[in-house]
Amino acid sequence: MVPAAAPDLELTVAVTLTAGALAASVLLLATIAALRLERRWRLWRLGHREPAWLEVLHRAATEPAAARLAPIGAFDLPAFLRLWNRVYGSASEEEAPRLAQLLRGHGLHDRALRMLGRRTLGPRLIAITTLGHLREERAWAALEDIARQAGPVVSFAAARALLRIDARRALESLGPAIAHREDWPLARLGSVLHELGPTVVTPALLTLMASRPREGLERIVKLARFGQRSRVAPVVRGWLSSSEDPLVIVASLDYVEQAEDLPWVRSAARHDDWRVRMAGARALGRAGDRGELELLLDLLRDPVWWVRYHAAQALVRLQGLTEEELEALRHGARDAYAADMLAQALAERPRR
């Protein structure tokens, strides 16, 4: 009779496992249903609160004395601050301080500061953005620590907030990261600098440019365009004679607008790197005259399409060349590619 116990044991184990799997499935389905219900409830709750919040925010921006904000619970705070950031982002120079005062007057700046410690990504990003808009100095140390983290989303948000709080101090602190971190998009960094304005960012940019990091200099050169051109352009153009990095030369050539820089441009137009030759062609079109004709005709026969294209664009913009001369150059071109490219440039040029 002893051997018969084995099948009974196996059956018991099988039934137990099946029951456990069924219970786990039921629990999973119940959890999913509960999460869906909670999400619907959140949306319903916010749908009833957001119109009232919006009304208060718009009133605070226009008539701050008449704005009355009801208490914001811990559950609703992230949603309210997200809405506040959205409204603040489109506010005028007169409205922005009034919106900031609404938060400070209700102690929400302190609560946003405490939200920096949240582990959940969403509320943390909302708090970072809010504190940056408020230019909250007390958040500086915490934001610096966050900006040094590896995660691109959170670290960039912290860097953007630091730039809004104190651009010069932030650029001095974040300079190496701005130069080296490819996961911080230049376009988004540039939008923050543009928002702050040339007067604010120029001193910080000059300090950063003077440090001349060995790597990432081309990123700094590209960001320098958001400073006061009259102050940053001489520094950038000086690198045309001292840098051997093709990317730095390309970025620096964008600042060439004067005939005195043409010797460096001519050298760039004969560079081994096609990107430098392309940037040189663009610069010749801005700063050159008919004296650069032969060099541009050489570039018009370049093996790289983009170099030929920008050489043709530069030719049709070159000072001192008439319509008849350009047509003669097109008909007299010995290279079929050069003739076609010049014909395309003439067709694209706006009629005078």
Side-chain angles (χ1 to χ4, degrees):
M1 300 295 293
V2 175
D8 292 341
L9 178 61
E10 291 178 358
L11 180 61
T12 302
V13 171
V15 170
T16 302
L17 291 175
T18 302
L22 181 61
S25 299
V26 172
L27 180 61
L28 178 61
L29 291 173
T31 302
I32 293 173
L35 289 173
R36 287 181 175 175
L37 287 173
E38 182 190 15
R39 184 174 182 273
R40 289 180 181 177
W41 178 74
R42 282 173 179 264
L43 293 174
W44 175 85
R45 181 185 176 93
L46 290 177
H48 281 71
R49 279 167 170 69
E50 280 198 2
W53 289 345
L54 272 174
E55 183 179 350
V56 173
L57 291 175
H58 289 311
R59 186 167 296 175
T62 55
E63 304 175 72
R68 297 289 183 270
L69 181 64
I72 305 294
F75 180 84
D76 292 331
L77 182 60
F80 174 76
L81 291 180
R82 185 191 296 115
L83 182 64
W84 181 89
N85 283 318
R86 194 174 76 204
V87 174
Y88 186 94
S90 60
S92 66
E93 291 184 4
E94 293 182 354
E95 294 171 342
R98 297 169 184 167
L99 289 168
Q101 184 55 42
L102 178 72
L103 289 197
R104 294 186 182 279
H106 289 78
L108 298 183
H109 60 311
D110 293 328
R111 295 173 66 183
L113 195 60
R114 291 194 293 271
M115 279 176 62
L116 280 181
R118 293 274 192 95
R119 292 187 178 183
T120 309
L121 179 61
R124 202 177 189 200
L125 286 172
I126 292 169
I128 290 171
T129 304
T130 303
L131 294 166
H133 281 145
L134 290 173
R135 291 172 169 79
E136 182 56 69
E137 286 280 352
R138 294 178 300 162
W140 187 272
L143 290 172
E144 270 193 323
D145 289 339
I146 296 171
R148 295 190 183 100
Q149 295 177 4
V153 176
V154 177
S155 63
F156 180 80
R160 182 172 54 188
L162 289 169
L163 285 166
R164 284 173 173 153
I165 294 171
D166 188 333
R168 180 161 192 162
R169 185 180 171 192
L171 285 172
E172 290 173 356
S173 172
L174 301 171
I178 290 173
H180 300 145
R181 291 197 61 154
E182 298 289 340
D183 57 352
W184 286 5
L186 276 178
R188 297 184 66 188
L189 279 170
S191 69
V192 179
L193 298 183
H194 177 72
E195 174 189 329
L196 295 170
T199 304
V200 174
V201 304
T202 297
L205 285 171
L206 290 172
T207 301
L208 187 57
M209 292 161 67
S211 67
R212 296 201 62 168
R214 294 183 178 181
E215 297 179 3
L217 184 58
E218 77 281 359
R219 288 172 59 87
I220 297 174
V221 174
K222 290 176 180 178
L223 289 174
R225 72 184 62 184
F226 297 100
Q228 293 170 321
R229 192 174 183 88
S230 60
R231 297 177 64 186
V232 301
V235 179
V236 175
R237 288 199 302 263
W239 292 339
L240 284 173
S241 61
S242 59
S243 178
E244 297 181 359
D245 186 336
L247 293 178
V248 175
I249 298 173
V250 168
S252 301
L253 284 168
D254 285 341
Y255 290 81
V256 170
E257 292 179 342
Q258 301 174 5
E260 63 189 45
D261 299 313
L262 284 174
W264 306 116
V265 179
R266 295 182 189 115
S267 176
R270 298 182 177 91
H271 200 277
D272 291 337
D273 193 302
W274 70 268
R275 295 168 297 182
V276 177
R277 297 197 303 273
M278 179 182 67
R282 289 199 302 260
L284 287 172
R286 290 193 305 271
D289 55 23
R290 61 184 306 126
E292 313 306 322
L293 182 59
E294 290 301 321
L295 181 54
L296 283 171
L297 289 174
D298 287 340
L299 291 173
L300 203 57
R301 296 188 288 270
D302 195 275
V304 178
W305 187 91
W306 281 110
V307 178
R308 298 197 304 271
Y309 175 80
H310 286 283
Q313 295 293 328
L315 272 170
V316 300
R317 293 196 305 267
L318 206 60
Q319 296 179 18
L321 281 184
T322 65
E323 195 86 24
E324 292 74 15
E325 287 176 309
L326 288 170
E327 286 291 343
L329 288 172
R330 181 174 71 85
H331 290 295
R334 290 171 292 178
D335 186 291
Y337 291 114
D340 290 344
M341 190 61 74
L342 192 52
Q344 178 179 336
L346 286 168
E348 292 176 356
R349 185 176 67 167
R351 293 299 176 184
R352 296 175 183 175

